[in-house]
Amino acid sequence: MSRKPIVAGNWKMHKNTNEGINFASSVQNKLLKVGNVTVIYAPPFTGLFQLKVSPPYHKSAQNCHWEEKGAFTGETSVSMIKACGAEYVIVGHSERRQYFGETDELVNKKISAIISSDLDPIFCIGETLSQRESGETASVLKKQICDGLNNIESLSSIIIAYEPVWAIGTGLTADAEQIEKAHSHIVNVVSELYKKINVRVLYGGSVNSNNADQLIKIPKVDGFLIGGASLDVESFSSIVQIVEDNEEKK
Ligand code: PGA
């Protein structure tokens, strides 16, 4: 896996199929040349199949079930996601943890299933405000990583999205020092578990076109997972452009 930065748009429960298709083509028309960034769209399941993309644009699901098939009403397996042409699956997003009971154990089952199908998880972790205030950030992140990757013996690359829960959809972003510290810690924890692993750490939490330039320059930030600002053509395109330009200058 390359070290190209990633800009991923998590559409959450927004955009029907046609809206998603129109959005992606508007972004592509705006950004005529994207060579240094991997752009990922994560539409709702209903929009996944018909959204046609080609590199540098890619598709991700927002969730999956860990079983291959079975009597699991309302669920979608990784092989079904793969058949839609998606290459990534977001897993462990804080909204899934908070509203849908996604525990570290379930995250682990999902990550195993994703990796077994040769897709890439975008593994989300992050502390709540009270955990940060009580000085537990490092231990919470470590536990989420170790439990999420439990029994996964070999791994050559992983994408982790560090999303402080208190920064998601709130307009608050973590500051540069908090982000650099968390990302370094994440890389260290993962590198202790696996030798020679390519870890990319995305930052997520109120990223927008005004703060992206500052955020992408923070050491160990390999791109973004974006919610709100990924829904608007202007702001999403401008974030991709900022990351593209930043990479070009390196
Ligand atoms: P936000 O969401 O950019 O709206 O804060 C980020 C996310 O939930 O991935």
Side-chain angles (χ1 to χ4, degrees), residues 73-85:
T73 302
E75 293 292 326
T76 305
S77 73
V78 180
S79 63
M80 293 166 183
I81 291 168
K82 197 171 177 178
C84 288

Side-chain angles (χ1 to χ4, degrees), residues 1 4-11 38-43 48 57-64 78 81 86-97 102 106-108 110-115 118-126 144-145 148-149 152 155 157-163 168 183 186 198-205 222-227 236:
M1 191 192 277
K4 263 192 197 178
I6 293 173
V7 176
N10 174 11
W11 294 352
T38 296
V39 181
I40 302 174
Y41 295 120
L48 202 54
Y57 299 93
H58 302 262
K59 295 191 286 192
S60 173
Q62 297 177 16
N63 182 33
C64 65
V78 180
I81 291 168
E87 296 157 88
Y88 301 87
V89 182
I90 296 173
V91 61
H93 190 279
S94 68
E95 286 152 16
R96 297 223 48 94
R97 293 177 189 263
E102 192 152 308
L106 295 187
V107 169
N108 178 240
K110 293 180 182 194
I111 292 179
S112 298
I114 297 163
I115 291 173
D118 280 332
L119 298 195
D120 283 309
I122 299 176
F123 174 17
C124 302
I125 58 172
Q144 287 175 335
I145 295 169
L149 298 177
I152 296 175
L155 203 55
S157 68
I158 183 96
I159 301 165
I160 296 191
Y162 169 58
E163 302 203 303
I168 296 178
H183 283 218
I186 291 165
N198 174 1
V199 194
R200 276 185 293 178
V201 190
L202 313 183
Y203 171 75
D222 299 307
F224 302 126
L225 180 57
I226 308 165
F236 188 70

Side-chain angles (χ1 to χ4, degrees), residues 4 27 45 74 78 156-157 213 220 223 231 249:
K4 263 192 197 178
V27 170
F45 281 132
V78 180
S156 57
S157 68
D213 191 44
K220 300 215 158 49
L231 299 174
K249 282 189 215 125

